[in-house]
Amino acid sequence: MGTVQTAADQSETGSNIGAYLIKHIREYGLLFALIAIMVFFQIVTNGTLLRPVNITNLFLQNSYIIVMALGMLVVIVAGHIDLSVGSVMGFIGALAAVLIVQVGLPVYMAIPICLLVGVAIGAAQGYFVAYWKIPSFIVTLAGMLVFRGLSLWLLEGQSVGPFPKSFQVLSTGFIPDIFPFLKSMLGMDRLNGTAMVAGVVAVCLILWMGLRDRSHNRQYGMEVEPPAFFLVRNLIVAGALLFVAYKLSTFRGLPNVLISMALLTVIYAFVTENTTLGRRIYALGGNEKAAKLSGIKTERLTFLAFVNMGMLAALAGLIFAARLNTATPKAGFAVELDVIAAVFIGGASMSGGVGKIVGAVVGAFIMGVMNNGMSIMGIGIDYQQVIKGLVLLAAVFFDVYNKKKQG
């Protein structure tokens, strides 16, 4: 009798695990898709993809995409879209070049001015979308054309540069090693102690936060991730973080832009998942009428979502210009497509109300690894665009199919 009961319990447990996996297949699928893509390109590039210098380049090349993906996720979750981010990014880079290189304004004054201009651009677009109810597609399409033209006008059709070193540090600088004694302790002359310590601290924080959330969910009777999934997922994440930290520590350490991306990701993840403001944004995208009837100021939330997007697009423009060490009229061209694709690949829904910050970041890295890997392989830009388009279509199809299956 006891044997029959045990078998029944095992069957029920297996059923529960299967149901949980199906319900959260998008989250686990994203993680394993990123791993599979990295393993594939690591093999076909003969180990070039995961060399320390290339991992550093991956962060530098995709930093501005990730920064804008954070803001784009908020806009899409709120039920809108912003097609102007690439043009705004290029315009802010051009403005920075004019202010710093041509006018001679100090970097510490030019950067806040550029960020404020980005906020103003987001506020202008958000005003028309939120209070005049003009579709965001139309408003931001107009913005894309306007700021592309303004970039050409501002730069007079020519590239402007180079920037001073103090500005280039924004993208290409590295955190100094504040733990040099680790080199002698571990017997590795080229080890950057700061990068290794940062990796260990990040792993400890992620594990602590995971255990805290798990305990919180169990305490309030909410759905809890099966122990096997929790263990495997955290082991994979911890192993990946330590691996990347080690690789970075054997090159030049932590790039400044990586620290900026990590802080922004943590802040936006916290705001969207653990604050009233975040819950209201999801409610707005899920059902605007119901959100308004429940007392949420939907117009103000929409307005703030575009203001935030403008600020992050400006920051991305500064990072991109600092990395290139020049501002060009073509900067930011079609970048909005990569940003939007990263968010949708990361699990966001076009209808709004669905999506996570971590998913958007993973989606951006999937796009970045594909770009980098295909470039190393020598695949032409024409084929790269085709492959990225098919990956985006597959991600959206998978999302729609999964929703229909669950519904």
Side-chain angles (χ1 to χ4, degrees), residues 155-351:
L155 295 175
E156 298 179 345
Q158 299 178 345
S159 297
V160 176
F163 289 100
K165 293 289 185 183
S166 55
F167 183 78
Q168 295 177 45
V169 167
L170 187 66
S171 176
T172 58
F174 289 82
I175 302 295
D177 189 3
I178 57 176
F179 300 102
F181 58 88
L182 289 178
K183 294 180 182 179
S184 56
M185 286 179 58
L186 299 176
M188 299 177 67
D189 293 335
R190 296 191 60 185
L191 184 76
N192 184 288
T194 302
M196 283 305 302
V197 170
V200 172
V201 170
V203 167
C204 292
L205 282 175
I206 287 174
L207 291 176
W208 174 76
M209 289 172 64
L211 290 170
R212 185 199 62 177
D213 291 343
R214 187 177 175 82
S215 175
H216 178 271
N217 291 343
R218 184 181 285 114
Q219 181 181 353
Y220 289 96
M222 299 168 66
E223 185 181 36
V224 179
E225 186 178 21
F229 285 177
F230 178 80
L231 179 63
V232 171
R233 178 173 60 82
N234 281 281
L235 282 176
I236 291 173
V237 172
L241 283 174
L242 290 175
F243 175 79
V244 170
Y246 171 74
K247 287 289 186 177
L248 292 176
S249 70
T250 59
F251 183 53
R252 297 179 62 184
L254 295 173
N256 291 339
V257 74
L258 175 59
I259 302 300
S260 302
M261 285 191 307
L263 288 175
L264 285 172
T265 300
V266 170
I267 291 170
Y268 278 83
F270 176 80
V271 170
T272 54
E273 297 178 19
N274 297 283
T275 67
T276 303
L277 176 63
R279 287 190 287 272
R280 287 177 176 175
I281 291 172
Y282 281 93
L284 166 64
N287 191 323
E288 184 177 358
K289 290 183 179 178
K292 193 163 189 174
L293 289 173
S294 66
I296 296 174
K297 296 180 179 178
T298 55
E299 290 87 359
R300 186 174 69 177
L301 274 183
T302 299
F303 176 76
L304 290 176
F306 279 92
V307 168
N308 174 70
M309 186 71 256
M311 180 190 69
L312 291 179
L315 177 59
L318 295 173
I319 292 172
F320 186 76
R323 179 172 172 269
L324 287 185
N325 196 23
T326 187
T328 66
K330 291 187 177 181
F333 181 75
V335 167
E336 61 275 353
L337 302 181
D338 280 347
V339 175
I340 294 170
V343 173
F344 285 135
I345 288 173
S349 171
M350 188 63 206
S351 58

Side-chain angles (χ1 to χ4, degrees), residues 381-399:
I381 190 68
D382 47 356
Y383 290 107
Q384 289 188 33
Q385 297 295 334
V386 171
I387 293 170
K388 288 194 294 183
L390 292 174
V391 169
L392 173 60
L393 182 61
V396 175
F397 173 80
F398 178 79
D399 186 50

